């Protein structure tokens, strides 16, 4: 789903433009997707009969990613896509424990293993990221002479990102470490 809403005011002084957007994209694989929220504000104000001009531009965004366990970091054992091809299609996806009646994902063995249930990889492993970014710019222009303009410009760019990965010990991938949780932060 994509949504954009914009508004502009004032052809004369001050001029203002606002815009907001939202994108919600489901991935082609279970438990994977992308959401982005954006906002933008642009403003121009004239003073002294147009000889002095102030401008302000602000843009902010928030991105939320839900990743699947990647084939790029899984080595020869592969992630979801490799195991979709390698996992025996005649094996069940779920199995019910007869003693407890609790359903769980079928695995070919216990602990770390090469053949992994691809549906279990999409459901058991959590890999999420969130990025917030803000860009801002302020400018002031003054016409000293008709052919000479002085300009002062100030800008800022701020970005903050976080990514968290959880590999439960019941997953063949997390079994190697008896479960694993990892968080990465990046602030610029």
């Amino acid at each position: 789903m994509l949504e954009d809403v914009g508004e502009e005011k004032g052809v004369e002084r001050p001029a203002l433009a606002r815009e907001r957007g939202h994108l919600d994209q489901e991935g082609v694989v279970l438990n994977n997707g992308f959401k982005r929220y954006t906002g933008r504000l642009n403003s121009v104000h004239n003073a002294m009969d147009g000889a002095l001009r102030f401008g302000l531009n602000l843009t902010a965004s928030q991105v939320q990613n839900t990743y699947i366990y990647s084939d790029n970091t899984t080595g020869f054992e592969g992630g979801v896509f490799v195991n979709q091809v390698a996992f025996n299609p005649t094996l069940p996806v779920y199995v019910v424990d007869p003693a407890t009646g609790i359903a769980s994902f079928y695995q070919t063995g216990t602990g770390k293993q090469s053949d992994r249930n691809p549906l279990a990889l999409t459901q058991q492993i959590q890999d999420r990221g969130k990025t917030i970014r803000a860009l801002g710019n302020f400018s002031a222009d003054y016409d000293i002479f008709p052919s000479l303009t002085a300009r002062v410009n100030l800008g800022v760019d701020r970005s903050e990102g976080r990514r968290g990965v959880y590999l439960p010990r019941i997953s063949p991938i997390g079994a190697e470490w008896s479960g694993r949780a990892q968080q990465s932060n990046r602030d610029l």
Side-chain angles (χ1 to χ4, degrees):
M1 181 179 106
L2 176 62
E3 172 193 3
D4 268 327
V5 177
E7 174 185 11
E8 292 185 26
K9 290 184 179 179
V11 177
E12 298 291 320
R13 307 168 228 190
L16 176 69
R18 295 185 297 189
E19 185 178 350
R20 66 181 167 90
H22 173 243
L23 173 66
D24 188 354
Q25 181 177 338
E26 284 188 33
V28 295
V29 178
L30 292 173
N31 201 23
N32 141 297
F34 174 87
K35 288 183 183 180
R36 180 178 58 217
Y37 304 93
T38 57
R40 193 171 92 185
L41 174 69
N42 296 335
S43 178
V44 176
H45 182 72
N46 295 324
M48 298 173 55
D49 293 326
L52 180 60
R53 295 172 301 285
F54 298 103
L56 176 66
N57 301 307
L58 296 174
T59 302
S61 69
Q62 177 179 308
V63 175
Q64 298 173 351
N65 282 307
T66 304
Y67 303 99
I68 59 169
Y69 198 65
S70 174
D71 288 312
N72 295 336
T73 59
T74 55
F76 73 92
E77 295 168 330
V80 173
F81 296 112
V82 169
N83 280 281
Q84 280 179 327
V85 175
F87 195 73
N88 185 343
T90 63
L91 295 175
V93 175
Y94 299 99
V95 62
V96 178
D97 184 344
T100 63
I102 297 174
S104 62
F105 289 105
Y106 175 82
Q107 300 293 351
T108 55
T110 59
K112 183 180 178 188
Q113 55 197 304
S114 295
D115 289 334
R116 302 165 176 166
N117 183 335
L119 182 61
L121 291 177
T122 64
Q123 301 298 310
Q124 291 176 331
I125 296 173
Q126 297 176 16
D127 189 354
R128 296 188 176 102
K130 182 177 180 179
T131 304
I132 298 172
R133 186 170 187 189
L135 299 164
N137 177 308
F138 172 78
S139 65
D141 295 298
Y142 180 69
D143 295 334
I144 299 170
F145 299 111
S147 61
L148 181 62
T149 301
R151 171 173 257 199
V152 175
N153 198 4
L154 176 66
V156 66
D157 182 356
R158 172 86 171 118
S159 180
E160 177 182 303
R162 301 208 182 325
R163 184 166 181 176
V165 179
Y166 173 62
L167 308 169
R169 67 178 176 206
I170 60 172
S171 166
I173 296 174
E176 179 178 359
W177 301 282
S178 295
R180 184 177 195 177
Q182 181 178 3
Q183 180 166 326
S184 305
N185 299 325
R186 183 172 185 145
D187 298 336
L188 300 171

